[in-house]
């Protein structure tokens, strides 16, 4: 005989009540800048688009498509810009929910003339290959008038939304604090606790700990616990590094990071730190300097950067410099710079490699 439903509840089944679950909204934001050397240089006719490199935000692959003469006849006198979803993240469960913002940035002026050309979309769902943007973003004549021959950048900020529903019975995980080992070592250096070695760099004294230096640098390991150990030296003269560069080098050795510094001397420090990192066998610092140099590269300093890359065996940086020179007009501007004359004298073999890389 079937048991009535009321008897089932009394036996320990669902006795009523309520429960709560929470929707947690997570967002990831990233951006990409497409550098355009000059508006008129990129014009090629209506419907002729130029794609940016692929970039990743929220695990999804995106790219920008720029139409200097508009993407169709209705936008023939306008600049059109679009954002494409190239490929969703692996293991995704459907369409991507995201919004975007396009902005124009003047490379050569104060940027005021382009400050009003920013447009932000609302959230929308995307599928593979879908695009969204503006077929009439800015009139070509207006852009040409503002730039006056300058280059500009098309910046696209992308915000990806992910909605997750939290299980009300789930146990909240313990939050493990991030490592603060680098801070402890930084304090050790700043307070000079237990220092046992001194470096004289350009008349300035820097104190440090033998064990820390030796563990971080194979070159310093050999110097401090090789021949120098036998004569008990604790003070050393450094003649080929600037004091501020050596200070940044010590900061990296102790904290695995670089100190904050004014942006206008960032390139100068990166150039000198690259040489110091190569000297002391600090591979991570060397790659960090390569990345800083390339992110701030322009035609006036490319030859100097290329010389450094050749002298310190930075093949990745060299290749990125060659790729930069392939853009229209860049090669001619680089060859007219002061640094190119130094390049010809100090690294003549690099000229042949450069010509081979840039040949059609």
């Amino acid at each position: 005989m079937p048991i009535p439903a009321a008897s089932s509840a009394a036996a320990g089944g669902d006795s009523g009540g309520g429960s709560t679950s929470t929707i947690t909204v997570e967002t990831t934001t990233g951006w990409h800048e497409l550098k355009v050397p000059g508006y008129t240089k990129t014009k090629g006719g209506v419907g002729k688009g130029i794609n940016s490199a692929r970039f990743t935000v929220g695990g999804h692959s995106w790219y920008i498509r720029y139409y200097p003469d508009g993407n169709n006849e209705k936008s023939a006198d306008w600049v059109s810009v679009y954002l494409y979803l190239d490929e969703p993240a692996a293991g995704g469960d459907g369409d991507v929910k995201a919004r975007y913002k396009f902005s124009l940035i003047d490379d050569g002026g104060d940027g005021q003339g382009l400050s009003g050309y920013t447009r932000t979309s609302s959230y929308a769902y995307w599928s593979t290959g879908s695009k969204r943007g503006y077929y009439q973003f800015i009139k070509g004549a207006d852009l040409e008038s503002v730039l006056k021959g300058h280059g500009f950048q098309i910046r696209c900020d992308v915000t990806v939304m992910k909605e997750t529903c939290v299980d009300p019975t789930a146990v909240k995980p313990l939050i493990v604090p991030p490592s603060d080992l680098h801070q402890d070592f930084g304090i050790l250096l700043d307070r000079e606790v237990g220092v046992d070695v001194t470096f004289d760099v350009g008349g300035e004294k820097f104190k440090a700990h033998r064990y820390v230096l030796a563990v971080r640098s194979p070159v310093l390991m050999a110097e401090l616990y090789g021949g120098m150990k036998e004569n008990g030296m604790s003070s050393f003269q450094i003649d080929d590094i600037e004091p501020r560069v050596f200070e940044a080098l010590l900061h990296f050795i102790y904290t695995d990071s670089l100190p904050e510094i004014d942006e206008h001397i960032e390139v100068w420090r990166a150039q000198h730190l690259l040489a110091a990192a190569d000297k002391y066998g600090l591979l991570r610092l060397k790659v960090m300097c390569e990345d800083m140099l390339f992110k701030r590269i322009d035609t006036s300093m490319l030859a100097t950067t290329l010389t450094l890359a050749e002298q310190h065996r930075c093949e990745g940086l060299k290749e990125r410099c060659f790729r930069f020179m392939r853009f229209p007009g860049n090669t001619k501007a680089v060859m007219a710079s002061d640094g190119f004359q130094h390049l010809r004298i100090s690294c003549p073999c690099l000229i042949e490699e450069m010509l081979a890389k840039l040949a059609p």
Side-chain angles (χ1 to χ4, degrees), residues 52 180 235 320:
S52 73
D180 57 0
S235 182
R320 295 172 82 178

Side-chain angles (χ1 to χ4, degrees), residues 224-360:
L224 295 172
Y225 290 96
M228 292 184 178
K229 180 183 177 183
E230 299 174 359
N231 56 30
M233 291 180 63
S234 61
S235 182
F236 308 103
Q237 183 77 29
I238 304 294
D239 297 320
D240 56 350
I241 301 179
E242 294 285 336
R244 298 285 69 80
V245 175
F246 190 80
E247 183 179 34
L249 183 76
L250 278 182
H251 184 93
F252 174 82
I253 287 176
Y254 278 77
T255 68
D256 208 39
S257 64
L258 291 175
E260 295 184 3
I261 196 168
D262 292 338
E263 187 173 349
H264 70 280
I265 61 173
E266 185 78 21
V267 172
W268 176 89
R269 185 186 67 171
Q271 291 172 341
H272 288 76
L273 264 179
L274 188 149
D278 189 35
K279 174 182 177 179
Y280 289 110
L282 300 171
L283 179 59
R284 172 174 156 79
L285 177 59
K286 183 178 176 182
V287 175
M288 288 171 63
C289 293
E290 291 183 53
D291 188 58
M292 282 191 292
L293 287 174
F294 184 76
K295 286 180 178 177
R296 291 161 177 79
I297 204 165
D298 57 28
T299 54
S300 65
M301 61 166 286
L302 185 137
T304 302
T305 300
L306 199 53
T307 303
L308 277 171
E310 174 70 9
Q311 293 173 340
H312 297 285
R313 303 172 300 282
C314 304
E315 295 302 322
L317 182 58
K318 276 176 55 178
E319 182 58 33
R320 295 172 82 178
C321 288
F322 289 142
R323 286 167 57 188
F324 179 85
M325 292 181 67
R326 293 191 187 107
F327 286 96
N330 284 359
T331 300
K332 185 176 180 180
V334 170
M335 295 179 68
S337 66
D338 295 336
F340 187 76
Q341 303 308 317
H342 176 68
L343 172 63
R344 294 179 58 186
I345 297 172
S346 59
C347 304
C349 60
L350 190 57
I351 300 298
E352 297 182 9
E353 183 179 356
M354 181 183 71
L355 294 176
K357 292 284 186 180
L358 300 180

